[in-house]
Amino acid sequence: MKTVNTLLLLVLGACIALSAQARDQRDYHEMVYDSGCKTCHDQGMKSFPSDDSCLQCHDMSELAQQTKREGDEARQNPHDSMHYGQEAPCMECHGEHTPKQAICMDCHNFDFPKFKQ
Amino acid sequence: MQTRRSFLKLGAGAAAVGAFAPLTVSANSSDVKWDETHEIVIVGSGFAGLAAAVEAGKLGAKDIVIFEKLGVYGGNSTLNAGQACFANTDLQKQLGIEDSAELMVQDQLKSGRGYASEELLTHSAELGPYIYQLTKDCGCVYRDHIINTGGTSATRSHQVVERSGSGFIRPMLKTARSYGVKTKIRHKFEHLITAKDGTVLGIQVRRGYHFGHEESGELINVKAEKGVLIATGGFGANVSFRQALDPNLGADVGCTNARGATGDGLIAMLAEGAMPVHLSFIQSGPWASPDEGGFGYGAGFSLYNFPHSIAIDRNTGQRFMNETADRKTRADLEVLRRDKEGKPNPALLIAPKHEAMKDPSMHNVLKYNVAWEFDSVDAIAKHFDLPLTELKKQIEDWNIYVKAGEDPQFGKRMNMSTGIYLTAPFIVQRLWPKVHYCQGGIQINTKAEVIAAKSGEKIPGLYAAGEVSGGVHGVSRLGGCSTPECMAFGVTAARSIMKA
Ligand SMILES: Cc1cc2nc3c(=O)[nH]c(=O)nc-3n(C[C@H](O)[C@H](O)[C@H](O)COP(=O)(O)OP(=O)(O)OC[C@H]3O[C@@H](n4cnc5c(N)ncnc54)[C@H](O)[C@@H]3O)c2cc1C
């Protein structure tokens, strides 16, 4: 979260009015909404945000630490998985305006209790 | 170009229509506005694409690019079980296993039932020890024993320690990058760009593509100085395409493949007049469970338990197949298990816990609700609503067969069930086949050049390797035999391109 402040400064004054399309907002992203859609939609409003977009605020290796698992679940760390390491872009599993699920679930019934659809 | 247009009309249902938005495709190179130029252009980041990138890097190529349409690398290859059949490796010698490329080819020809290509199989088998070493040089780590997979006359399935193809993909991706290979996700190959004489000049790519959003991103034209390698894998996940080829493989049959296995590369090459081979030979896995997606954990559980367990039809409470018959025989019988309305009513694999517990997969299937434990036959019958008397009789009969070492019901080979009686507690998993592998594809030669249907000659500038190529395995591919073939032809394509 440390870069959020810089970010806020950068986009201060950006258009704040949210379009009707921005449904399904995450409460915990409220400050990002406050700073305008373009905070995330860095490639224009009609395009998906870039894969670096979320990484302005989130750090992959920190996330990997936070979701670390033990024992026979060690390889099920969604942010550092056996198949994709730390390379899977956030949007493969997470959606801000649309419900999604982890790509692991394409093949496995893993339990990710903290995952918010 | 007539070929392409007429194909488009037919194929429009199967292919994403947006993929064929009009643009100069058949043109002189001077007519095309190129956005990027690379020495070697590779499409697809699985075994075939990565092996080609690594080999081309070794051979001194300076500018290689890999385009991957998904957000992640590796396609089917990273989901794979990590088994690769190689003949005549130093590990085999160490373990005293005698084997040869010829023997491996003979085994494969047999399961190909007269349709496999001896020439392509021989080329791939002879490269086996080279591929084995190449992967080790990339940092792949093999287990120190070798596995026996079905249909082979020598033990030759080498498995990486991860027991997953990711044990190949991740080190190979790293190695490719160490050679300066540019790897790009979210770049979807749309179609080939050819000169009037059919020579492939480059490709059109949708940059910034998000899977499932066919209009996302922007179109760019990419020129290939030396050649284009299509390594886009199979089409198992494209339901309308596979069902057109095999009406039995509709949406109610699952699929073990990665999302991206939609046949894009194959469809685009057909559009340019490549020779289609054996497209209807599509293999389903009879070891899959409908209670999880993909290959999951259930496949490992059933593979271990089929030899000493029984598969039961829920309508009759009785067996309906030889649980160790070949993949096709079993998958065809499983998909017929349906209720009165014709809806799937998956069969039950009933395994004795005392034996099932010897394999680590039991822990996984129980933990992730892919199988359940029952302490009596009554409990199974009650839970799954099947005729108790018949089920009881079937289990008693089965145990008599185990004792006698003979299966009069379905002629199953009983040497793997000696002394293993089916007694409580039981572990029960549901069975429903999933589309697994496409034997068919476009035709290539031993140089990984793509062959034109019209002339039987190569299409200049175009190469293909991996599951997208067809005719190698014939009717049925043996377990563990795709990995080595995908890599062998990837390597071959790199060598050919570097010579071109
Ligand atoms: C679950 C599973 C387990 C398996 N286990 C084994 C095993 O243990 N041993 C064995 O020998 N075989 C196994 N197989 C088979 C084997 O893994 C595959 O045949 C092999 O991985 C195919 O490799 P490939 O490089 O041809 O294609 P893939 O690995 O599928 O790679 C193709 C890539 O191309 C990408 N792509 C597709 N279209 C486009 C496009 N338009 N633009 C850009 N990119 C595109 C795909 O997204 C994908 O990443 C298994 C298969 C599965 C599904």
Side-chain angles (χ1 to χ4, degrees), chain B residues 423-440:
Chain B
T423 53
F426 306 101
I427 310 292
V428 179
Q429 178 187 298
R430 302 202 303 158
L431 295 173
W432 191 249
K434 288 181 185 169
V435 171
H436 185 58
Y437 182 83
C438 300
Q439 273 94 196

Side-chain angles (χ1 to χ4, degrees), chain B residues 18-20 188-192 204-206 214 219 264 268:
Chain B
F20 298 102
K188 183 184 181 226
F189 160 73
E190 294 282 356
H191 53 71
L192 297 162
Q204 189 172 79
V205 174
R206 189 175 283 277
E214 298 312 309
L219 296 172
D264 305 355

Side-chain angles (χ1 to χ4, degrees), chain B residues 270-304:
Chain B
L270 291 173
E272 295 302 331
M275 179 90 84
V277 195
H278 304 164
L279 293 183
S280 320
F281 294 165
I282 304 169
Q283 184 178 78
S284 296
W287 19 248
S289 154
D291 295 305
E292 65 185 344
F295 196 69
Y297 286 131
F301 180 80
S302 9
L303 281 165
Y304 182 78

Side-chain angles (χ1 to χ4, degrees), chain A residues 82-84 103 106-108, chain B residues 47 73-82 163-166 169 256-259 294-296 436:
Chain A
M82 178 173 85
H83 297 288
Y84 308 118
I103 41 173
D106 283 3
C107 305
H108 300 288
Chain B
F47 291 144
Y73 295 102
N76 278 1
S77 301
T78 194
L79 308 181
N80 152 308
R163 302 185 201 199
S164 158
S166 57
I169 290 296
T256 63
N257 289 194
R259 296 170 182 179
F295 196 69
H436 185 58

Side-chain angles (χ1 to χ4, degrees), chain B residues 20-31:
Chain B
F20 298 102
L23 201 127
T24 342
V25 279
S26 173
N28 295 312
S29 50
S30 55
D31 298 344

Side-chain angles (χ1 to χ4, degrees), chain A residues 87, chain B residues 50 54 138 169-179:
Chain A
E87 282 200 43
Chain B
L50 286 180
V54 168
C138 287
I169 290 296
R170 292 182 61 193
M172 290 176 81
L173 190 57
K174 204 171 155 194
T175 308
R177 286 172 177 159
S178 77
Y179 285 117

